[in-house]
């Protein structure tokens, strides 16, 4: 992947942000990064885009993304649009010579994701993905401890993201199968799948057994009260509202995954990852996006059981994602999480949906597997 253009004297990256919903998190990230400047914003919701442009001092606003790509003087874009547009917007941006930071999930499926990764390679541009939750302090600490061998062999992990009433917007693109590609599995599950596999050291997944359900959404129940979206229609709920999966790895370890946008549970909006190792364990449990008080670690202290809570600091995940992206562009350093890592996760999501549809355990083809921890 190429970094800075040869002979370029640029020491700042000029960026366009496409999408004015979660595009806010990207604007906040770039605002923390002295070597980047957001100069253009695109979105169909003109009022919100203008409001964000004013707040973050962005000079140009556009409606459709094609106008931004044609007119703005930029080196890179953040792609923060509904899932079905990740592929066309990324391909258009790469064709226009821009580096791309795309929101999760990389795409609706591995076929689309593969096209994005190949196009970035062919263009010699960076394709990065916003797995922002890897940069929480609890995640970073556990990752470092696993890598240092402190947990021994991690043989079992559990990951969950459960909401009592958290459908992002009943009747919006989120609940439309064609536009979203799926429900909570592709929306929230992709985050916890990524965090768990990354913490485990990216073991190779060989088999998946999964089930999905749609029980509350089709009844018009479970819309997220804190959502930016108003409920637009009670009908037309086309995706799952709960998914569960068991993933088996080549090294014998397993991962149990559970995610719901809406379910009768005491968890209002909670996610986490637990790791069980031969020498120690770690449990991250995040309630309502708390940044501290979320990690407990387990081990031995002499002949007593150790149960401790490291002190944590709050961190803005998109800030770290943006910094890696900008560093990759200007300094030519490998970018992680990369598009290939994003592709690996959608490939597994495809297998989870396939297992659920077929009602049996399925093999995961490992051809074209992403590089995991490696460079893009
Ligand atoms: N990493 C995270 O924490 C996080 C959080 C929320 C959403 N997301 C991801 O961000 C993406 C967008 O989700 P959202 O919640 O912001 O959705 P949203 O519906 O709130 O926003 C989508 C934006 O895309 C714009 N858009 C649509 N078509 C466009 C076009 N042709 N040209 C230009 N702009 C266009 C819309 O006008 C809107 O501004 C999704 O892929 C979602 O998974 C990530």
């Amino acid at each position: 992947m190429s970094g800075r253009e040869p002979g370029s004297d640029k020491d700042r990256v000029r960026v366009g942000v496409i999408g004015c919903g979660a595009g806010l998190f990207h604007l906040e990230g770039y605002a923390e990064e002295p070597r980047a400047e957001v100069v253009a914003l695109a979105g169909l919701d003109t009022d919100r885009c203008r409001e964000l442009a004013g707040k973050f001092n962005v000079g140009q606003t556009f409606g459709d993304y094609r106008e931004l790509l044609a007119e703005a003087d930029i080196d890179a874009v953040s792609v923060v649009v509904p899932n079905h547009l990740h592929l066309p917007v990324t391909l258009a941006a790469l064709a226009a010579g821009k580096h791309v930071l795309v929101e999760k999930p990389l795409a609706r499926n591995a076929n689309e994701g593969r096209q994005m990764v190949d196009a970035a390679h062919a263009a010699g541009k960076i394709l990065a993905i916003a797995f922002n939750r890897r940069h929480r302090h609890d995640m970073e600490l556990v990752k470092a401890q696993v890598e240092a061998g402190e947990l021994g062999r991690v043989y079992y992990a559990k990951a969950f993201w459960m909401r009592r009433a958290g459908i992002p917007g009943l009747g919006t693109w989120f609940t439309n199968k064609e536009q979203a590609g799926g429900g909570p599995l592709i929306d929230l599950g992709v985050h916890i799948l990524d965090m768990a596999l990354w913490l485990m050291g990216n073991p190779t997944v060989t088999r998946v057994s999964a089930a999905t359900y749609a029980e509350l959404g089709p009844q018009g129940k479970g819309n997220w009260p804190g959502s930016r979206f108003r409920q637009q229609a009670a009908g037309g709920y086309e995706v799952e509202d709960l998914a569960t999966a068991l993933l088996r790895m080549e090294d014998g370890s397993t991962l149990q995954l559970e995610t719901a946008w809406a379910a009768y549970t005491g968890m209002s909006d909670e996610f986490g990852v637990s790791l069980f190792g031969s020498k120690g364990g770690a449990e991250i449990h995040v309630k309502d996006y708390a940044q501290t008080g979320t990690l407990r670690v387990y081990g031995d202290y002499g002949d007593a059981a150790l149960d401790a809570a490291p002190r944590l600091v709050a961190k803005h995940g998109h800030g770290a994602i943006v910094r890696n992206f900008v560093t990759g562009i200007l300094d030519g350093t490998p970018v992680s999480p990369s598009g290939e890592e994003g592709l690996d996760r959608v490939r597994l999501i495809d297998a989870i949906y396939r297992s659920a549809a077929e009602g049996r355990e399925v093999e995961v083809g490992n051809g074209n597997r992403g590089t995991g921890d490696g460079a893009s």
Side-chain angles (χ1 to χ4, degrees):
M1 242 357 91
S2 77
R4 185 171 161 176
E5 300 288 299
S8 162
D9 59 357
K10 290 184 68 167
D11 55 7
R12 274 165 80 81
V13 180
R14 291 169 62 85
V15 181
V17 172
I18 301 173
C20 300
L24 165 68
F25 308 135
H26 289 248
L27 288 162
E28 288 173 342
Y30 289 111
E32 287 176 12
E33 174 49 55
R35 298 204 294 165
E37 184 185 3
V38 179
V39 297
L41 196 54
L44 305 180
D45 38 355
T46 324
D47 289 348
R48 181 167 161 95
C49 291
R50 288 220 181 95
E51 185 192 320
L52 288 182
K55 188 172 168 199
F56 290 91
N57 219 1
V58 180
Q60 290 178 289
T61 53
F62 299 93
D64 189 78
Y65 69 93
R66 296 178 195 88
E67 297 164 31
L68 178 145
L69 291 175
E71 292 180 35
D73 175 18
I74 50 172
D75 310 298
V77 292
S78 273
V79 175
V80 201
V81 291
N83 298 348
H84 68 296
L85 296 176
H86 288 195
L87 171 69
V89 177
T90 297
L91 293 185
L94 290 167
K98 317 302 177 199
H99 299 283
V100 176
L101 167 58
V102 65
E103 260 303 338
K104 46 55 60 173
L106 181 71
R108 291 175 298 183
N109 54 55
N111 177 26
E112 290 188 341
R114 169 50 64 196
Q115 294 178 54
M116 294 161 72
V117 168
D118 288 349
H121 276 297
K125 296 291 169 191
I126 290 168
L127 176 62
I129 184 164
F131 283 137
N132 50 303
R133 306 200 186 273
R134 281 194 195 179
H135 294 286
R136 299 173 48 87
H137 194 201
D138 44 21
M139 297 286 165
E140 289 182 339
L141 276 176
V142 173
K143 174 73 175 165
Q145 293 303 100
V146 171
E147 283 188 344
E150 294 295 322
L151 274 63
R153 188 177 96 79
V154 177
Y155 52 91
Y156 178 53
K158 286 198 287 191
F160 71 96
W161 194 322
M162 299 293 285
R163 290 180 179 164
R164 169 70 175 80
I167 298 172
L170 266 167
T172 67
W173 69 265
F174 278 99
T175 59
N176 177 297
K177 176 94 174 94
E178 217 275 316
Q179 294 183 334
L185 176 64
I186 201 163
D187 182 46
L188 306 175
V190 74
H191 271 303
I192 54 169
L193 179 64
D194 177 68
M195 287 185 276
L197 291 173
W198 176 68
L199 289 175
M200 293 172 86
N202 286 302
T204 300
V205 183
T206 54
R207 279 173 292 158
V208 169
S209 184
T212 58
Y213 303 89
E215 296 290 340
L216 275 61
Q219 298 181 57
K221 290 180 177 177
N223 200 43
W224 197 4
S227 165
R228 285 194 305 279
F229 309 99
R230 283 184 302 278
Q231 181 162 337
Q232 296 186 353
Y237 190 93
E238 298 176 358
V239 294
E240 83 280 0
D241 57 20
L242 186 147
T244 177
L246 179 72
L247 285 74
R248 291 180 184 278
M249 319 296 167
E250 200 170 58
D251 66 5
S253 60
T254 46
L255 166 62
Q256 178 69 52
L257 198 78
E258 183 181 86
T259 183
W261 271 342
Y264 288 109
T265 166
M267 293 192 252
S268 64
D269 189 354
E270 301 182 18
F271 66 88
V273 181
S274 300
L275 298 184
F276 298 82
S278 55
K279 284 166 58 183
E283 268 179 27
I284 296 168
H285 191 132
V286 179
K287 294 185 184 182
D288 299 323
Y289 304 94
Q291 295 259 3
T292 57
T294 53
L295 172 61
R296 298 203 76 86
V297 297
Y298 306 103
D300 302 303
Y301 194 74
D303 61 2
L306 178 73
D307 175 345
R311 285 191 195 170
L312 303 174
V313 295
K315 296 178 86 178
H316 178 221
H318 278 89
I321 290 288
V322 159
R323 190 164 54 251
N324 289 343
F325 182 50
V326 169
T327 306
I329 294 170
L330 290 177
D331 304 338
T333 49
V335 170
S336 178
S338 64
E340 291 190 11
E341 291 170 79
L343 172 58
D344 183 63
R345 303 326 185 210
V346 238
R347 194 181 54 87
L348 296 173
I349 284 176
D350 282 358
I352 293 173
Y353 280 131
R354 187 154 48 89
S355 167
E358 295 178 11
R360 62 180 184 89
E361 186 175 72
V362 299
E363 302 279 332
V364 180
N366 280 304
N368 300 331
R369 185 167 180 264
T371 51
D373 266 327
S376 63

